[in-house]
Amino acid sequence: MMQQLRIGMIGTGWFSQVHADNLIVMEGLKLQAICGSSIDKGKQMAKHYGANGYGNVTEMLEAEQLDAVYICVPPMVHGEIEEQLIERGIPFLVEKPIAINSEVPRQLLQKIKDKSLLTSVGYHLRYKETVHQMKQLLSEQMVGMAVGQWMGSMPGVSWWRQQEGSGGQFIEQTTHIVDILRYCLGEVEEVYAVYGNRVAHEQHENVSVADVGTVTLKLMNGVIANISNTCILPGNVDQSGITFYTNEGLLDWNNNRLNVVTSNIRTEYSDPTNPYVAESEAFIHAIRTGDSSRIRSDYEDAFKTQLVTSAALESANTGLPTKIQY
């Protein structure tokens, strides 16, 4: 008989509910405990899923015997939560971004390595079949450059609009595009970023994040890339994805499809994959078996994406190119 795994959840927002909905239908799992930023939030969500509710992480970890924990909290909250899980040797899946800077995750990563702790990070787009297919195709071609974007509207939560809350759009949202670039082509050597404030600070109160930005990236293999973002668009107007330009044509990807264009043919691939389910299945499989090969982004790998997005912020602040310090 399959051993029942007891899963904890830290955070009660939308992403927590996405993960919880997927977990409760997986065989051999019990969503055992949920911790919110208050006891009321924790108990309210826990009641819906038949779990135990808490308003304090330490209390939850002391009261429950958990096999793994999902961390779904705003970027500025990371640090102490992970510390407690590492100390107890509890595997965790943490949503991106893993912090608002690179200092906190650098310290956490060393402790994770010391414990050889199993981790996964929520770069769920890596689990899209079109992304995997694109990675394979690009490995067979000479890539010259890539151009990506994350264009949308400003999220409604107050912490996102604060630099010290979210780290800014490139760190909080556009990190997905940076991560796909890294996943497909390898490591980034240097970045040069220009950020600006055009609209959002006049439309909303207490906005300290840039609302437009563009980042030029030089990869170690010589590929040049540019990734731009904005959060000034009205609701329901958005554009995100990445295009790779190669000696054989172009590969244009977004969340819904992959277009491959050569001089002779244009092919469109759709992708029915639910990447959140695939992400959890890989993590749970690793907990059960010790085989982490299906996890496409662990903490060490996600840290490298964080280094790139943090370096972009540094470049935007200094006006100078910034080399990535691995």
Side-chain angles (χ1 to χ4, degrees):
M1 179 178 292
M2 184 183 294
Q3 176 191 358
Q4 187 177 65
L5 297 178
R6 295 157 296 188
I7 309 297
M9 184 79 65
I10 300 173
T12 57
W14 179 78
F15 259 112
S16 299
Q17 294 171 46
V18 169
H19 286 302
D21 288 343
N22 292 331
L23 290 170
I24 60 172
V25 297
M26 293 177 68
E27 185 180 357
L29 292 186
K30 177 171 175 52
L31 186 52
Q32 180 72 26
I34 296 173
C35 182
S37 57
S38 69
I39 186 65
D40 289 340
K41 288 183 178 180
K43 286 190 171 182
Q44 182 178 1
M45 182 173 169
K47 183 178 179 181
H48 179 74
Y49 291 102
N52 299 324
Y54 297 88
N56 180 278
V57 173
T58 304
E59 288 180 10
M60 181 181 80
L61 297 178
E62 289 179 350
E64 306 283 356
Q65 295 295 315
L66 300 174
D67 297 298
V69 168
Y70 280 61
I71 307 171
C72 307
V73 299
M76 71 285 187
V77 181
H78 291 292
E80 184 180 340
I81 294 170
E82 289 88 343
E83 292 260 12
Q84 293 198 51
L85 295 171
I86 295 166
E87 183 180 328
R88 290 171 168 83
I90 300 175
F92 61 83
L93 185 154
V94 57
E95 270 304 332
K96 47 51 62 187
I98 52 177
I100 61 170
N101 53 38
S102 59
E103 288 76 20
V104 169
R106 189 184 294 276
Q107 295 170 10
L108 291 173
L109 177 58
Q110 187 56 55
K111 295 177 181 180
I112 289 168
K113 286 182 173 180
D114 291 344
K115 281 284 186 82
S116 298
L117 188 64
L118 177 69
T119 60
S120 179
V121 178
Y123 284 106
H124 65 283
L125 294 177
R126 289 190 177 206
Y127 295 85
K128 297 284 285 185
E129 280 306 308
T130 46
V131 171
H132 181 68
Q133 182 179 17
M134 182 166 62
K135 178 180 171 69
Q136 291 298 113
L137 290 171
L138 289 169
S139 70
E140 302 163 1
Q141 302 178 30
M142 176 61 71
V143 182
M145 67 180 301
V147 177
Q149 64 284 134
W150 190 288
M151 312 301 201
S153 56
M154 179 162 283
V157 288
S158 59
W159 58 260
W160 197 95
R161 302 173 182 182
Q162 293 294 305
Q163 187 64 42
E164 63 272 20
S166 66
Q169 186 179 14
F170 203 77
I171 285 175
E172 209 285 323
Q173 286 182 331
T174 317
T175 183
H176 278 301
I177 305 301
V178 174
D179 192 69
I180 290 176
L181 177 70
R182 282 192 54 250
Y183 183 58
C184 290
L185 296 185
E187 301 310 332
V188 177
E189 179 181 326
E190 186 176 23
V191 298
Y192 174 66
V194 180
Y195 293 174
N197 300 89
R198 299 292 297 161
V199 176
H201 63 290
E202 296 180 351
Q203 291 184 335
H204 308 281
E205 293 184 356
N206 301 316
V207 174
S208 58
V209 296
D211 62 9
V212 294
T214 190
V215 182
T216 297
L217 307 95
K218 178 183 177 183
L219 277 65
M220 290 182 178
N221 60 11
V223 172
I224 300 300
N226 177 269
I227 300 176
S228 299
N229 60 208
T230 186
C231 52
I232 69 171
L233 296 178
N236 301 318
V237 179
D238 60 81
Q239 181 183 29
S240 63
I242 187 167
T243 305
F244 295 90
Y245 300 89
T246 83
N247 62 323
E248 295 186 20
L250 64 86
L251 294 85
D252 181 63
W253 179 91
N254 66 32
N255 194 39
N256 299 315
R257 53 94 186 122
L258 169 65
N259 281 335
V260 180
V261 182
T262 68
S263 56
N264 299 318
I265 192 168
R266 179 188 186 102
T267 309
E268 180 171 309
Y269 301 93
S270 60
D271 189 349
T273 309
N274 183 329
Y276 298 111
V277 172
E279 177 184 61
S280 276
E281 288 176 343
F283 180 53
I284 298 302
H285 172 78
I287 295 168
R288 287 196 185 283
T289 67
D291 171 22
S292 60
S293 63
R294 289 165 54 181
I295 294 176
R296 296 187 181 176
S297 177
D298 62 9
Y299 201 91
E300 184 172 8
D301 192 275
F303 174 61
K304 294 175 182 176
T305 295
Q306 186 76 22
L307 285 176
V308 177
T309 58
S310 296
L313 178 61
E314 179 183 339
S315 175
N317 287 337
T318 63
L320 300 170
T322 301
K323 288 194 176 294
I324 313 300
Q325 302 296 322
Y326 289 101

